[in-house]
Amino acid sequence: MSELRVVGIEGLPEIEAGKSVGAEIAARAEPRDGDVLVISQKIVSKAEGRVLPLAGAIPGAEARRLAPVLGKEPALVELILAESHEVLRAERGVLIVETKHGFVCANAGIDTSNMPEGTVCLLPEDPDASARRIRAEIAKALGGEPGEDSSEQQRGGSAEPSPGSPLIGVVISDSFGRAWRLGQSEVAIGCAGIAPLDDWRGRADASGRRLEATMIAVADQAAAAADLVRNKASRVPAVVVRGLARYVTPEDGPGAAALRRPRNEDLFR
């Protein structure tokens, strides 16, 4: 019988710019072949120096126009706009944008929770590259050597684990709202070593009917499962999800970019 086990990784220190997230996790966890490590976006962003003071943002005309409408600080609106490709909605205190990554979310993913007063946390510049790098860091810390040289890792290139380290997947997660439902849920904004989608189109259901549209968002579901063993005050930013080995791959794979719906299929725009 299939089962899933979700375990928080305790004892991680406060992450600062320049810290190796993968090495810190490897020092406190004992991942096995087939494990998926789900890591909060916030510690990845902190390690990558994506924490900024609000005072450093100089609001432009659009930010000053939108701020009173939304009830937000002009400096925060300026940062949101700077991280955005397009503003989709700006009403009822909500600023929905398409980020430069291609995510559709509130406030470009910029977060102030659990941050020092006057500072904000931005999303990683390339979450899939971050996941690949962390996967390589974990492999190296556990005795394996990455499949690519260090310069390639710095550029965000693929770095597959070698014999000597467990075959694991990495998911970087963040909380997103959902168009059809209340409440937030964790989703994968970056991943490596895990198939982000399980495409059932063309397969048969239990009654033998051909499936036409079913695609399982594996990486998103792993992210959501991980969130059930932590909360905003738990200080557990990384979780081991065990039982998903069938989705873990030797290669880094296409990343969470594969989960983004193409604009021409988006019925909300």
Side-chain angles (χ1 to χ4, degrees):
M1 184 174 69
S2 297
E3 68 173 17
L4 202 65
R5 188 176 182 207
V6 185
V7 182
I9 299 173
E10 304 280 354
L12 284 167
E14 186 67 29
I15 299 296
E16 300 174 347
K19 280 274 191 180
S20 169
V21 172
E24 295 292 346
I25 289 173
R28 293 161 180 82
E30 297 180 359
R32 308 173 188 171
D33 275 345
D35 283 355
V36 175
L37 300 180
V38 179
I39 304 165
S40 165
Q41 158 269 321
K42 190 163 289 180
I43 67 167
V44 177
S45 292
K46 287 180 176 179
E48 295 179 1
R50 297 284 283 167
V51 174
L52 296 178
L54 269 178
I58 301 174
E62 183 66 2
R64 293 195 302 271
R65 183 185 71 83
L66 287 172
V69 174
L70 298 168
K72 297 182 183 297
E73 294 182 59
L76 176 59
V77 176
E78 180 62 33
L79 286 176
I80 294 169
L81 295 177
E83 290 295 303
S84 302
H85 171 69
E86 181 182 359
V87 173
L88 303 180
R89 295 285 188 278
E91 57 185 272
R92 287 178 282 181
V94 178
L95 189 55
I96 304 296
V97 304
E98 179 184 339
T99 71
K100 292 179 178 179
H101 318 81
F103 305 135
V104 174
C105 60
N107 302 327
I110 294 176
D111 194 4
T112 60
S113 66
N114 292 322
M115 296 298 297
E117 188 69 27
T119 63
V120 296
C121 187
L122 280 58
L123 296 181
E125 289 186 356
D126 186 342
D128 281 329
S130 301
R132 294 192 293 268
R133 184 181 63 254
I134 291 169
R135 190 184 191 218
E137 290 171 352
I138 293 171
K140 186 174 183 179
L142 294 177
E145 289 298 327
E148 303 287 344
D149 64 28
S150 59
S151 62
E152 181 68 13
Q153 293 169 43
Q154 291 300 319
R155 293 193 298 269
S158 176
E160 299 168 18
S162 67
S165 63
L167 183 63
I168 63 166
V170 169
V171 170
I172 297 174
S173 70
D174 194 17
S175 297
F176 275 30
R178 299 165 298 161
W180 288 304
R181 301 178 71 82
L182 293 174
Q184 289 75 42
S185 180
E186 292 287 305
V187 302
I189 63 168
C191 67
I194 179 173
L197 286 165
D198 188 8
D199 190 350
W200 277 70
R201 293 174 299 179
R203 304 186 203 178
D205 66 11
S207 301
R209 298 185 183 88
R210 178 184 172 88
L211 297 169
E212 302 292 343
T214 302
M215 299 175 73
I216 308 301
V218 175
D220 283 346
Q221 291 186 335
D227 201 43
L228 295 174
V229 298
R230 64 185 183 199
N231 59 52
K232 293 290 186 184
S234 66
R235 298 188 183 276
V236 179
V239 170
V240 177
V241 180
R242 190 160 287 156
L244 297 176
R246 62 195 181 279
Y247 300 114
V248 176
T249 61
E251 60 280 352
D252 285 330
L259 291 159
R260 296 202 297 267
R261 186 179 295 279
R263 188 185 181 99
N264 63 350
E265 296 179 11
D266 188 344
L267 299 182
F268 290 88
R269 286 195 275 175

